[in-house]
Amino acid sequence: MLSVATAECFTHGKIGVILHKMAMGYEDVKGHPYYPIFNKNIYVIASMFLPQKDVIESILNIKLPPSDYTYRYAKVYNEKKDIEVAYLMAKGLKNKLRCNIAIGTTAGIGRGGICILTDNRRYLFTTDIYGDILTGKNLVERSENGVSKTLNKLVEILSNEYSIRLL
């Protein structure tokens, strides 16, 4: 079994919750196509929703770049920095919790940044949806796409890197 931890912003902790529910066998996720692979092969050791820069730095013991924009209490970056920050979040989780797989997500303006960090590799990608936290444009759509893309990528990683496949 592989340990998984998430530090999420624009996906609101949904990735970690979905993975935990599948790993634990909750009834409401048993029909999900990825249920068999996640139920038998992973366990979630932490799932966090972390929108605030200073809290992320404190909990994960990392230093994030200065925000590109000020918006209420959340950190807001451009897409390029979102990818960097997602990596820093995943790396902080991996270093602190010693999990097999760490996932970091963050999105300000652009398609956001997602990082899946395994024991062997770093996977960086974005959603397919442009969003803008300052205007509220496409936030729900971007979040949903981020959750979906991350779960799909995690299945691919489990198959390619750990030889775990759907039956």
Side-chain angles (χ1 to χ4, degrees):
M1 298 264 290
L2 299 168
S3 58
V4 178
T6 70
E8 304 174 58
C9 184
F10 81 104
T11 50
H12 304 112
K14 292 176 186 174
I15 296 164
V17 169
I18 290 168
L19 291 173
H20 171 71
K21 289 171 88 172
M22 286 193 210
M24 296 301 290
Y26 280 53
E27 286 295 322
D28 64 331
V29 294
K30 285 189 175 178
H32 192 285
Y34 296 153
Y35 175 81
I37 195 168
F38 294 139
N39 178 254
K40 303 220 184 287
N41 297 295
I42 67 161
Y43 64 100
V44 177
I45 61 173
S47 173
M48 296 176 267
F49 169 52
L50 299 170
Q52 195 167 338
K53 183 177 183 260
D54 60 332
V55 174
I56 293 168
E57 291 176 330
S58 176
I59 289 174
L60 300 179
N61 197 31
I62 60 175
K63 181 70 176 152
L64 297 178
S67 296
D68 293 320
Y69 306 92
T70 302
Y71 182 74
R72 298 185 188 175
Y73 60 87
K75 63 190 177 7
V76 179
Y77 296 104
N78 63 43
E79 187 174 307
K80 184 178 177 184
K81 276 196 194 162
D82 275 332
I83 293 168
E84 175 189 351
V85 169
Y87 167 68
L88 291 171
M89 291 168 69
K91 185 178 175 188
L93 267 179
K94 194 129 179 49
N95 289 343
K96 191 162 198 99
L97 301 179
R98 305 283 182 231
C99 54
N100 298 109
I101 300 169
I103 300 170
T105 73
T106 188
I109 298 175
R111 295 172 298 156
I114 303 166
C115 178
I116 300 177
L117 192 58
T118 70
D119 290 328
N120 304 307
R121 291 202 52 206
R122 168 176 57 181
Y123 303 86
L124 299 169
F125 53 102
T126 67
T127 72
D128 300 319
I129 310 291
Y130 176 92
D132 186 334
I133 190 82
L134 301 178
T135 65
K137 180 180 180 181
N138 296 328
L139 299 184
V140 171
E141 297 88 346
R142 181 175 63 184
S143 178
E144 290 171 353
N145 185 259
V147 171
S148 176
K149 263 189 106 166
T150 302
L151 294 176
N152 291 338
K153 186 67 171 175
L154 185 55
V155 167
E156 180 185 311
I157 291 166
L158 291 174
S159 176
N160 294 338
E161 194 171 321
Y162 296 98
S163 299
I164 298 169
R165 291 173 174 68
L166 281 169
L167 301 175

